Amino acid sequence: MIELNEEQRRAVRHRDGPMLVLAGPGSGKTSVIVNRVLYLIKDEHIDPHNILVLTFSKYAALQMQDRFISETDISYPVTFGTFHAVFYHILKSQGMYGTGEILTGKRKLGLLAVAVKKAGLDHHDDAERLSRLLELISIRKMGCYELLEDLSDDEKNDLERVYEPYVRLCRNENCIDFDDMINECLKALKGNEKILAKWRKRFRYILVDEFQDIDGRQYEAMRLLAGREGNIFCVGDDDQSIYSFRGADPSVMMKLKTDYPGLDIVNLKTNYRCPPEVILHAKRLIRYNSDRFEKDQHCIKKEICGKSPEYKCFGNPQEEAVYCVELIERILGNASTGRAASIGVLYRSSRSAHQIEALLRRKGIAYARKDRNDGFYAKEWVKDIIAYLRLSQDVSFRTGDLFRVLNRPYRGLTRESVPGTGFDRGSMLGYYAGMDELSSSCRKMFDDIDFIRELDGYGAFNYILKGIGLEKYIRESYFVSCKNEDADHAFLELADRARMYKSVGEWLEDIEKDEENDREEPAVPADVSLMTIHGSKGLEFDNVIMIGLQEGVFPGKRCTTARQMDEERRLFYVAMTRCRERLWLLGIRRDGYGKRASRFISEAGFDTETVGSII
């Protein structure tokens, strides 16, 4: 057993009954779980076959198991697994389902397309809308009805008409998805005393990692398995609960105190990761949340003299991106000849990262982007705009691009007017000779395309939307089931990209590179990592640069309730505490989403008027 501090030892040596271990960032929770399993086996002589360690991801389960194996030279049959894997194992063991009956993503889309068609809806071949419907079906299966309250009327109607037919199709096929694994196992445990008794006897000691990520169904199943003995060992931090969209409910941690009056609580106070200046600001921030366990963290690391966390604001995204990339260059340049300093660029919305990514690419700085495959340029409405851009640069015209824009927006033009080979404008205009209205529409289309040729990126984007009138077409064709702000957000994201380019040709070069990156396998992790804050959970970096820290982005526009704001604040807290050495916070004072710094900046104790300048 490795050297543990006082609180860790107390947690590890807990014998029977329920315990809650409050494990803040960098407090060594993995060591506690691994060493507790070893303690139960070696000191308390518990049969390892009766120990269950539950996690929320396959990666975490394997990591925990590898860590456990590395601590002993004996192969103990302890069960490590996710809630889904363990509950599915229970169902299979009872002969309820087989491995071949798990629904793959492709199969789910296929069954949903059939259900959509049977329901009389007309988007059975629209991959984006089908994917969105699957998300909503999953939320409903989880019982998180509050997450469905803000849906548009069209989305509510689609979900209502498709849900039951889709569920029936899956049942008739005897197929099961990840949500069903939880629901069906819970049903089996509640409805059959023999099954419940069997698995209670098997799993007498239950340890749960990242307990703050549990949902109501998983909690109920865990309590059933624990039975009267209540040998549950829950390790988590309610201040790091950031997955409500997956059903996670931090209030379950509070519920433990009610459901288990004899609950023993240990607070792991020592932070082994962050410098004290970072913890000071993080603690100031998170105390704005109510209904949480109060904690007090102490740092092992010494203060980094003269290197406190810094906040800087900028006038626009371009200035922020330039500062961020020059900061990265400075950090990499100052790195010692040994291990290079790791840098995590973290953001709430991927929209914040595109300009930084483009600059890194131009400067030849190696980076990895965890959410790289966002496929933004593969969206159908974006392809319409790209078609106009390509046509403006290609005097010979790509027939495919021309076909795409002929009637976007509607002009009454026909594909028959486009010659199969040797395309020229004259032949197409000749086709409409004598048809004044169509001839005028055709001529205006060519004039519009010519006009785009000499514009910069943003000018071209704006003219395509406003001058040509494509915006109205896109809203009515692609965002018909969404709220207006969804379309607004999408247009602003593309506008931010467009502003980076001095010419249409330069923009098209980067679009091509982006499309190549989407087709390629992710690169080997570099010293610089770009990722969403959700993606950074469980990771740590020497240097953390948080970007896009303004109202409307972080917290987002849709964050309107106290509960939503608390989660956004927890997300900010998680980002800050990924840092091992230095922390920078960057934001924009005037932007399409808002005109002031994120409220979290001042709550964390920073001066919101600190204006940044190029390094």
Side-chain angles (χ1 to χ4, degrees), residues 87 124 182 201 215 217 223 306 318 377 426 441 461 469 558 570 589:
F87 288 6
H124 57 87
I182 305 296
K201 184 178 180 181
D215 67 32
R217 304 165 306 155
R223 287 200 70 208
Q318 293 81 6
Y377 286 123
S441 291
F461 163 77
R558 293 183 179 178
R570 291 194 293 267
R589 296 183 67 182

Side-chain angles (χ1 to χ4, degrees), residues 25-95:
S27 60
K29 67 180 180 63
T30 303
S31 294
V32 168
I33 294 172
V34 168
N35 282 281
R36 170 155 177 77
V37 174
L38 289 171
Y39 175 79
L40 289 173
I41 296 170
K42 294 183 176 182
D43 292 68
E44 298 296 343
H45 308 293
I46 302 299
D47 186 343
H49 188 68
N50 297 139
I51 301 174
L52 170 64
V53 181
L54 289 168
T55 68
F56 289 88
S57 73
K58 185 176 180 181
Y59 174 78
L62 291 172
Q63 191 179 45
M64 191 77 71
Q65 187 175 38
D66 288 346
R67 178 79 175 269
F68 173 72
I69 291 171
S70 71
E71 295 290 336
T72 177
D73 54 0
I74 301 174
S75 181
Y76 292 115
V78 176
T79 299
F80 292 84
T82 65
F83 275 91
H84 293 103
V86 171
F87 288 6
Y88 185 57
H89 172 72
I90 291 174
L91 291 172
K92 283 200 301 179
S93 299
Q94 299 304 138

Side-chain angles (χ1 to χ4, degrees), residues 323-601:
Y323 182 90
C324 180
V325 172
E326 292 193 353
L327 178 58
I328 289 170
E329 287 183 302
R330 188 176 70 183
I331 295 169
L332 294 176
N334 290 341
S336 64
T337 54
R339 181 185 65 84
S342 62
I343 303 170
V345 180
L346 310 183
Y347 37 86
R348 179 67 179 90
S349 166
S350 60
R351 173 180 173 238
S352 303
H354 300 310
Q355 298 198 32
I356 291 168
E357 182 178 21
L359 285 174
L360 288 172
R361 194 160 52 209
R362 288 179 199 171
K363 288 177 174 283
I365 300 174
Y367 68 92
R369 184 166 178 183
K370 193 170 182 179
D371 63 330
R372 181 67 208 89
N373 265 335
D374 61 353
F376 185 82
Y377 286 123
K379 297 178 188 296
E380 290 302 312
W381 70 271
V382 180
K383 286 181 180 179
D384 292 349
I385 293 173
I386 293 173
Y388 274 107
L389 297 177
R390 284 181 177 145
L391 288 169
S392 76
Q393 303 297 297
D394 188 353
V395 293
S396 62
F397 277 40
R398 301 185 187 193
T399 304
D401 287 333
L402 187 58
F403 281 163
R404 190 172 192 96
V405 306
L406 272 181
N407 289 299
R408 301 182 183 182
Y410 182 72
R411 298 183 176 94
L413 305 180
T414 174
R415 288 191 174 200
E416 284 73 22
S417 65
V418 181
T421 58
F423 175 81
D424 68 85
R425 302 184 187 201
S427 60
M428 190 170 173
L429 288 167
Y431 182 91
Y432 292 112
M435 296 178 267
D436 292 347
E437 188 174 341
L438 291 177
S439 179
S440 176
S441 291
C442 184
R443 185 173 289 103
K444 184 176 187 310
M445 179 184 71
F446 289 136
D447 289 344
D448 285 336
I449 289 170
D450 288 339
F451 184 73
I452 295 168
R453 181 174 298 123
E454 302 304 324
L455 299 176
D456 60 18
Y458 181 73
F461 163 77
N462 196 52
Y463 186 76
I464 292 169
L465 285 191
K466 309 293 185 183
I468 295 176
L470 194 63
E471 179 177 354
K472 185 173 185 291
Y473 173 86
I474 289 174
R475 287 183 184 275
E476 292 175 350
S477 301
Y478 298 108
F479 293 96
V480 64
S481 64
C482 304
K483 297 180 179 180
N484 280 331
E485 61 192 50
D486 292 322
D488 293 342
H489 177 99
F491 289 140
L492 281 167
E493 182 167 352
L494 188 54
D496 275 353
R497 298 185 185 217
R499 284 189 177 95
M500 293 188 290
Y501 304 103
K502 296 177 181 177
S503 71
V504 171
E506 184 182 311
W507 189 6
L508 285 171
E509 286 179 14
D510 257 18
I511 288 173
E512 189 173 333
K513 290 176 184 175
D514 247 56
E515 290 171 339
E516 287 174 2
N517 286 338
D518 283 342
R519 289 191 293 267
E520 293 173 357
E521 290 296 315
V524 176
D527 295 328
V528 182
S529 298
L530 276 62
M531 64 182 67
T532 63
I533 299 169
H534 281 104
S536 74
K537 183 72 169 65
L539 302 178
E540 56 184 47
F541 306 91
D542 296 325
N543 304 274
V544 168
I545 306 172
M546 296 171 62
I547 61 173
L549 306 183
Q550 58 265 15
E551 289 291 305
V553 176
F554 200 179
K557 263 189 173 181
R558 293 183 179 178
C559 184
T560 56
T561 68
R563 181 175 179 176
Q564 290 169 331
M565 193 62 70
D566 282 354
E567 175 146 344
E568 290 285 288
R569 192 175 285 110
R570 291 194 293 267
L571 195 58
F572 205 99
Y573 174 82
V574 165
M576 293 177 72
T577 53
R578 299 308 92 201
C579 162
R580 284 193 294 253
E581 293 179 10
R582 295 293 311 278
L583 172 66
W584 288 267
L585 302 94
L586 311 181
I588 300 164
R589 296 183 67 182
R590 286 172 292 281
D591 176 69
Y593 281 123
K595 294 184 178 179
R596 60 191 180 92
S598 167
R599 68 194 69 189
F600 303 143
I601 297 294

Side-chain angles (χ1 to χ4, degrees), residues 184-207:
E184 293 299 313
C185 185
L186 180 57
K187 190 187 301 182
L189 295 175
K190 291 171 71 173
N192 190 312
E193 284 294 332
K194 287 186 178 179
I195 293 177
L196 180 58
K198 172 184 175 180
W199 293 99
R200 274 181 176 170
K201 184 178 180 181
R202 167 67 191 278
F203 297 130
R204 291 184 51 234
Y205 287 84
I206 302 173
L207 296 84

Side-chain angles (χ1 to χ4, degrees), residues 36-176:
R36 170 155 177 77
V37 174
L38 289 171
Y39 175 79
L40 289 173
I41 296 170
K42 294 183 176 182
D43 292 68
E44 298 296 343
H45 308 293
I46 302 299
D47 186 343
H49 188 68
N50 297 139
I51 301 174
L52 170 64
V53 181
L54 289 168
T55 68
F56 289 88
S57 73
K58 185 176 180 181
Y59 174 78
L62 291 172
Q63 191 179 45
M64 191 77 71
Q65 187 175 38
D66 288 346
R67 178 79 175 269
F68 173 72
I69 291 171
S70 71
E71 295 290 336
T72 177
D73 54 0
I74 301 174
S75 181
Y76 292 115
V78 176
T79 299
F80 292 84
T82 65
F83 275 91
H84 293 103
V86 171
F87 288 6
Y88 185 57
H89 172 72
I90 291 174
L91 291 172
K92 283 200 301 179
S93 299
Q94 299 304 138
M96 295 180 181
Y97 290 94
T99 304
E101 291 151 349
I102 299 177
L103 280 168
T104 62
K106 187 176 180 180
R107 186 79 191 285
K108 284 197 289 186
L109 282 172
L111 289 173
L112 181 59
V114 173
V116 166
K117 202 168 185 178
K118 284 186 174 182
L121 301 174
D122 62 359
H123 49 270
H124 57 87
D125 59 349
D126 187 329
E128 283 189 41
R129 291 183 71 175
L130 290 178
S131 296
R132 173 61 176 161
L133 256 179
L134 280 178
E135 289 178 18
L136 300 180
I137 288 169
S138 177
I139 290 171
R140 181 162 166 177
K141 283 185 176 184
M142 289 189 294
C144 302
Y145 297 104
E146 69 279 2
L147 298 179
L148 302 175
E149 291 174 359
D150 292 332
L151 298 182
S152 67
D153 290 339
D154 286 327
E155 282 187 321
K156 287 178 181 176
N157 178 60
D158 287 356
L159 180 60
E160 189 63 34
R161 291 174 63 179
V162 167
Y163 183 80
E164 290 299 338
Y166 172 75
V167 170
R168 275 198 303 273
L169 273 174
C170 294
R171 191 179 298 122
N172 292 340
E173 296 280 332
N174 199 35
C175 290
I176 189 172

